[in-house]
Amino acid sequence: MPVREISSDRITAEVRRLCIESNRVLPEDLEQIIRTAAETETSGIGKSVLADLGANMDAARERNLPICQDTGMAVIFAEIGQDVHITGGLFEDAVNEGVRRGYTEGLLRCSVAADPIRRGNTGDNTPAVIHTRLVPGDRLTLTVAPKGFGSENMSRLKMFTPAASEDDLIDFVAETVRLAGGRPCPPVVIGVGIGGDFELCAFLAKKALCRPVSRRNADPFYGELEDRMLRRVNSLNVGPQGFGGSTTALAVNIEQYPTHIAGLPLAVNMGCHVTRHKFAVI
Ligand code: SF4
């Protein structure tokens, strides 16, 4: 198959657009599930919080504003076809230039500390967190997922032993949500990674947050586990913004991977109700 050329300028332009658009409009199914929850929520205050979230989404769309003041650290998933040749510059430079332009020209808050201990602000929301995978074909798929840290900070990982039961896993997810309370801006979207090793299971949990909330795991076993985790979390009475109620989580998305015979890693990546992501195929 002939190599297909994609210019670094094109990558920059797409990343810029995705940064701005993902911060202004939520994925359609996530928006819908929030609006439906406003009807089904059992607590009065929970209902009114969910109605406010709906009004906030409307205002962001109408006035071209970000949905939340925390416009996140830019997480980029790139699936690069093996038959793609990137021209005109380095791939990661092109992505970071897109983030820089998206955040500065789109007037999005720049939230990246230049150093994790000595702090400071890079001033343009770079560098992004970039996850790259080589895939078959001659296309380049870019997903931009701006991640707020009110929810990110509530994430947890545990290296279970293979003796852990399904109930143990559900308990850990529920405990994570209970400990977080109102801090991750519930109702939350819960990304769960199961399997792999220490770092892959955290990656899977983040990737799970980019799956549409309306789509269950393709494996019925994990699809059912998602439903059981969601029911359990929604029995905790954390509720919208932590005020109590039946809508603590909007969805649980699991991504799984084979693991070592001696282990069973599980990571929970907490996503808030503003679990943003948008993709483009070049
Ligand atoms: S956790 Fe989400 S909703 Fe809350 S401040 Fe951060 S980005 Fe905004």
Side-chain angles (χ1 to χ4, degrees), residues 150-151 154 177-188 238-243 248:
S151 51
M154 298 297 111
V177 175
R178 183 180 57 76
L179 291 172
R183 284 175 288 179
C185 299
V188 292
V238 173
Q241 296 296 325
F243 290 120
T248 298

Side-chain angles (χ1 to χ4, degrees), residues 23 53 56 67-72 109 146-152 182-186 241 270-276:
N23 266 295
L53 299 185
N56 181 56
I67 304 158
C68 182
Q69 43 77 32
D70 180 354
T71 50
R109 193 184 86 184
K147 190 68 176 74
F149 267 47
S151 51
E152 188 76 353
R183 284 175 288 179
C185 299
Q241 296 296 325
M270 197 72 81
C272 56
H273 65 275
V274 186
T275 294
R276 303 153 281 203

Side-chain angles (χ1 to χ4, degrees), residues 47-69:
K47 253 187 188 320
S48 107
V49 167
L50 290 165
D52 285 347
L53 299 185
N56 181 56
M57 289 187 286
D58 292 338
R61 184 179 279 114
E62 283 158 20
R63 300 166 69 182
N64 236 0
L65 291 169
I67 304 158
C68 182
Q69 43 77 32

Side-chain angles (χ1 to χ4, degrees), residues 239-280:
Q241 296 296 325
F243 290 120
S246 55
T247 318
T248 298
L250 300 164
V252 176
N253 286 1
I254 297 175
E255 292 289 319
Q256 73 278 10
Y257 194 82
T259 189
H260 190 279
I261 52 171
L264 201 180
L266 183 146
V268 178
N269 193 201
M270 197 72 81
C272 56
H273 65 275
V274 186
T275 294
R276 303 153 281 203
H277 49 89
K278 199 166 176 63
F279 75 95

Side-chain angles (χ1 to χ4, degrees), residues 195-271:
D197 62 356
F198 183 78
E199 81 279 4
L200 180 62
C201 110
F203 168 81
L204 291 172
K206 174 67 44 72
K207 197 160 166 257
L209 288 179
C210 291
R211 199 173 82 211
V213 288
S214 53
R215 196 193 306 156
R216 300 278 42 84
N217 192 297
D219 180 333
F221 170 81
Y222 284 101
E224 196 195 327
L225 191 56
E226 290 174 340
D227 289 341
R228 288 170 65 194
M229 286 176 174
L230 182 62
R231 279 199 298 275
R232 178 67 186 287
V233 164
N234 279 335
S235 71
L236 294 172
N237 196 34
V238 173
Q241 296 296 325
F243 290 120
S246 55
T247 318
T248 298
L250 300 164
V252 176
N253 286 1
I254 297 175
E255 292 289 319
Q256 73 278 10
Y257 194 82
T259 189
H260 190 279
I261 52 171
L264 201 180
L266 183 146
V268 178
N269 193 201
M270 197 72 81

Side-chain angles (χ1 to χ4, degrees), residues 2-282:
V3 167
R4 180 167 166 257
E5 295 197 339
I6 296 177
S7 74
S8 57
D9 286 349
R10 176 94 191 271
I11 294 167
T12 295
E14 286 295 337
V15 170
R16 175 191 180 279
R17 179 178 69 80
L18 292 172
C19 286
I20 294 172
E21 291 181 4
S22 62
N23 266 295
R24 291 188 177 159
V25 180
L26 285 184
E28 209 177 309
D29 59 348
L30 179 56
E31 177 167 343
Q32 193 48 52
I33 211 167
I34 293 171
R35 293 192 193 278
T36 303
E39 306 292 322
T40 57
E41 169 57 50
T42 52
S43 104
I45 189 158
K47 253 187 188 320
S48 107
V49 167
L50 290 165
D52 285 347
L53 299 185
N56 181 56
M57 289 187 286
D58 292 338
R61 184 179 279 114
E62 283 158 20
R63 300 166 69 182
N64 236 0
L65 291 169
I67 304 158
C68 182
Q69 43 77 32
D70 180 354
T71 50
M73 188 165 191
V75 179
I76 317 287
F77 293 92
E79 293 191 340
I80 304 176
Q82 283 202 161
D83 301 311
V84 167
H85 176 219
I86 295 163
T87 60
L90 297 176
F91 172 71
E92 293 204 353
D93 289 350
V95 168
N96 278 317
E97 183 58 22
V99 170
R100 179 177 297 113
R101 290 189 197 168
Y103 275 75
T104 54
E105 294 168 17
L107 303 179
L108 305 174
R109 193 184 86 184
C110 295
S111 311
V112 173
D115 182 278
I117 297 174
R118 293 168 293 177
R119 313 305 288 180
N121 192 308
T122 61
D124 57 12
N125 222 49
T126 66
V129 174
I130 303 174
H131 302 290
T132 305
R133 208 175 131 232
L134 278 183
V135 297
D138 63 358
R139 301 278 150 187
L140 169 53
T141 303
L142 291 165
T143 300
V144 173
K147 190 68 176 74
F149 267 47
S151 51
E152 188 76 353
N153 285 341
M154 298 297 111
S155 304
R156 288 164 90 214
L157 187 151
K158 180 164 176 171
M159 303 301 286
F160 285 93
T161 70
S165 67
E166 288 163 33
D167 282 339
D168 291 334
L169 307 184
I170 295 169
D171 285 349
F172 181 74
V173 172
E175 181 187 65
T176 302
V177 175
R178 183 180 57 76
L179 291 172
R183 284 175 288 179
C185 299
V188 292
V189 177
I190 304 169
V192 179
I194 304 179
D197 62 356
F198 183 78
E199 81 279 4
L200 180 62
C201 110
F203 168 81
L204 291 172
K206 174 67 44 72
K207 197 160 166 257
L209 288 179
C210 291
R211 199 173 82 211
V213 288
S214 53
R215 196 193 306 156
R216 300 278 42 84
N217 192 297
D219 180 333
F221 170 81
Y222 284 101
E224 196 195 327
L225 191 56
E226 290 174 340
D227 289 341
R228 288 170 65 194
M229 286 176 174
L230 182 62
R231 279 199 298 275
R232 178 67 186 287
V233 164
N234 279 335
S235 71
L236 294 172
N237 196 34
V238 173
Q241 296 296 325
F243 290 120
S246 55
T247 318
T248 298
L250 300 164
V252 176
N253 286 1
I254 297 175
E255 292 289 319
Q256 73 278 10
Y257 194 82
T259 189
H260 190 279
I261 52 171
L264 201 180
L266 183 146
V268 178
N269 193 201
M270 197 72 81
C272 56
H273 65 275
V274 186
T275 294
R276 303 153 281 203
H277 49 89
K278 199 166 176 63
F279 75 95
V281 181
I282 301 176

